[in-house]
Amino acid sequence: MRQTIQTFLPNLDLDRVSFHRAMPHLFSWLPHGGITLPHLWRSRRTRIYVARRYWRPASRGGLGLILHEALHAQQVQDCLLGWGWGPLRPFVILYLAAWAGNGFRYVGHPMEVDAYRFAGSAGSRFECWCDSGATSIPWDRLAGPHGEPLDDDELRRLREECSPASASSPGRERSAVVAHRDLAHSIPGWRGLESLLRRSLDLTAWAWLPALPAILVGACTVVLWGLFWGTVTAILWSGIVVVELVGGAVALFLRLLAGLVGKVGALLAG
Ligand SMILES: [Zn+2]
């Protein structure tokens, strides 16, 4: 599985990604088979959770889901190189901002569109590659029990065809640029401001000076929008941490109580 992920996402640092065969309990109500979240407190670490019944890394669908989540892990690492503390990372802020910009809908979320274009649904590049390439390139060789590597030409072709970074320019740099652009695009009414800015920036010499207020307003709006969703992220995450800590404490208390009751019962019976 790791070899397959590394083949399709050569820029993903798998040493900073861990896999968990269950959904975190606060997210178990989600209809999705998996979720990618930054580590609760460590910087630059990402966790991929896949619901137990969907954990089938040896199957096309199961591997597609894992690759889809791995692409989100790549997005985490690509957003300003994944810097941040716990959940306070550009990826989470951008994800929430883009979700709001998409009318709080999952379908059409730009980061999900990127991920599904790559893997996770019947029409994704990975799934299409499985269907079309299964005869010419034996699947076993990519993820087989002995882990035989593909030859260089096949690897290069696969990376070109299937890497989401192949759309324009390679890897991290492209995603970082997209992160900033996506944050701006998620702002309500941004398109109008952007077209005004574009028209102004097309002008030569000093003619763009009158557009300076619009440029400043645009820059300030992006910063404030980012700060707002950063604050929302911090509040949400604080809530999650509190619930998990209280839940853990209650579980520990019940466990100790059960042990105590058991001992008292044994004493009385004796
Ligand atoms: Zn997704």
Side-chain angles (χ1 to χ4, degrees):
M1 185 190 85
R2 291 174 72 90
Q3 189 195 354
T4 309
I5 294 171
Q6 209 70 84
T7 302
F8 283 91
L9 298 170
N11 290 330
L12 178 67
D13 183 356
L14 268 179
D15 290 338
R16 294 209 167 99
V17 180
S18 58
F19 295 86
H20 305 266
R21 273 171 279 182
M23 292 289 271
H25 72 276
L26 283 176
F27 295 88
S28 55
W29 53 271
L30 286 173
H32 315 297
I35 189 168
T36 300
L37 295 171
H39 194 280
L40 203 57
W41 63 85
R42 288 177 71 175
S43 64
R44 308 194 71 188
R45 253 195 109 72
T46 311
R47 288 169 157 177
I48 290 177
Y49 299 89
V50 175
R52 216 172 284 270
R53 65 183 182 283
Y54 290 106
W55 181 265
R56 299 190 306 273
S59 75
R60 170 184 173 278
L63 202 49
L65 173 63
I66 291 167
L67 280 169
H68 174 99
E69 297 305 328
L71 186 91
H72 286 314
Q74 174 89 69
Q75 289 171 335
V76 175
Q77 291 183 3
D78 284 353
C79 283
L80 303 180
L81 299 180
W83 284 107
W85 178 73
L88 275 178
R89 290 191 232 186
F91 168 79
V92 182
I93 296 166
L94 181 62
Y95 193 95
L96 288 175
W99 182 50
N102 192 44
F104 299 101
R105 279 170 300 141
Y106 179 76
V107 177
H109 189 298
M111 295 163 99
E112 291 298 343
V113 168
D114 276 354
Y116 278 113
R117 200 176 288 142
F118 170 54
S121 74
S124 303
R125 265 184 281 178
F126 168 73
E127 276 79 354
C128 289
W129 176 78
C130 285
D131 294 341
S132 63
T135 50
S136 57
I137 302 170
W139 180 241
D140 298 355
R141 290 182 59 193
L142 191 64
H146 307 298
E148 306 93 325
L150 296 172
D151 69 50
D152 289 348
D153 284 338
E154 285 172 340
L155 272 178
R156 199 178 307 118
R157 192 178 66 80
L158 275 179
R159 287 181 183 182
E160 282 171 6
E161 282 184 5
C162 299
S163 168
S166 69
S168 52
S169 55
R172 297 180 183 281
E173 199 184 345
R174 173 184 172 268
S175 289
V177 172
V178 168
H180 296 108
R181 197 192 62 198
D182 284 351
L183 181 63
H185 281 181
S186 65
I187 298 172
W190 176 260
R191 303 275 172 189
L193 188 63
E194 191 184 28
S195 66
L196 178 71
L197 288 174
R198 270 186 202 285
R199 275 204 301 277
S200 315
L201 292 173
D202 282 345
L203 300 173
T204 50
W206 296 102
W208 58 267
L209 260 180
L212 200 58
I215 295 171
L216 288 175
V217 167
C220 288
T221 312
V222 173
V223 171
L224 287 175
W225 184 247
L227 282 175
F228 172 75
W229 286 106
T231 309
V232 171
T233 305
I235 293 170
L236 281 177
W237 212 262
S238 306
I240 289 170
V241 169
V242 167
V243 169
E244 293 200 345
L245 283 178
V246 170
V250 169
L252 184 66
F253 172 75
L254 289 175
R255 195 178 173 143
L256 290 174
L257 191 68
L260 192 68
V261 168
K263 277 195 176 141
V264 170
L267 273 177
L268 289 176

